[in-house]
Amino acid sequence: MGFDNQRFDVNLSILFTELPLLERPAAAAAAGFTAVELWWPWPDAPVPAPADLDALRTALTDAGTQLVGLNFYAGQLPGPDRGALSLPGEESAKFRANLSVAADFAQSLGCTALNALYGNRVDGADPAAQDELALKNLVLAAREADRIGAVLLIEALNAPESPKCPIVSAPRAIEVVDAVNAASGLDNARFLMDLYHLSMNGEDLPAVIDAHAAQTAHVQIADNPGRGAPGTGSLPLADLLERLRKAGYEGHVGLEYKPGPDGSAASFDWLPRPASHS
Ligand SMILES: O=C(O)C(=O)CO
């Protein structure tokens, strides 16, 4: 248990970013991974050229990698933006334009988890109006996810690094999950439990796992402090993943950490076995 027999996938928007996007799936495969996840790969293009979508699809399939998680358009990540769907005006329009494009892309690759990042509070905008807009857009996202048989993930970020984002605790993310499910009637919104972000918030991780494993459809990890590989900080990640497993979570665990100074390929030494992480 612990790190053994986990279904790890590599986040290709934070690991292997020393390589061009289209070379990252093969690099992940060479490191022994068969599953990968991505933030929206074109931060400046919610609706990219079909040729760009085709090229990425080909790179993923040629490498033999399965896409297991995809973020909808979320602006510039990891900052200054933290999502687009609650921002009045142009940014949330871009989010809506992206919905069917991202869902179609995910469907074409058999990816069944779509992450919708909430976005920052905007100076001068009414927070209640932003929340109302967010709920409308999340219901649209839930419908798009449902159309392709996917879950809609809601992630809590961390307050120190995302001071303007209102979704910075597990209970707040769960409130959004519940509100989206109530408004959509689809029951396909789920919690994305990112143990790094929650630990940065000072949350009681075992208690979060015990309370919310059943509503969780994706997990991401990085150590804290530093957002590096497991073992570079002080989080008991093996114990926490074991606890999640015992609480019934059997899904993927995304490796969403920054590589060390020797690069991405050298940042998997902590894994208990060298190949075939899926
Ligand atoms: O922006 C981040 O830090 C994320 O975890 C996005 O998924």
Side-chain angles (χ1 to χ4, degrees), residues 201-224:
N201 288 332
E203 294 185 61
D204 178 340
L205 298 180
V208 170
I209 289 168
D210 294 350
H212 301 304
Q215 292 144 295
T216 300
H218 193 63
V219 170
Q220 291 172 332
I221 61 167
D223 215 332
N224 184 18

Side-chain angles (χ1 to χ4, degrees), residues 11 13-14 37-39 71 74 76-79 81-83 115 117 155-158 161-162 192 194 196-197 220 227 256:
N11 185 303
S13 302
I14 186 166
E37 61 180 47
L38 281 163
W39 301 345
N71 286 13
Q76 303 291 330
L77 284 190
D81 301 323
R82 295 286 188 270
N115 184 18
L117 290 172
E155 176 176 10
L157 300 181
N158 74 75
E161 292 174 329
S162 304
L192 192 170
D194 184 315
Y196 167 73
H197 289 311
Q220 291 172 332
R227 204 176 192 179
E256 197 187 35

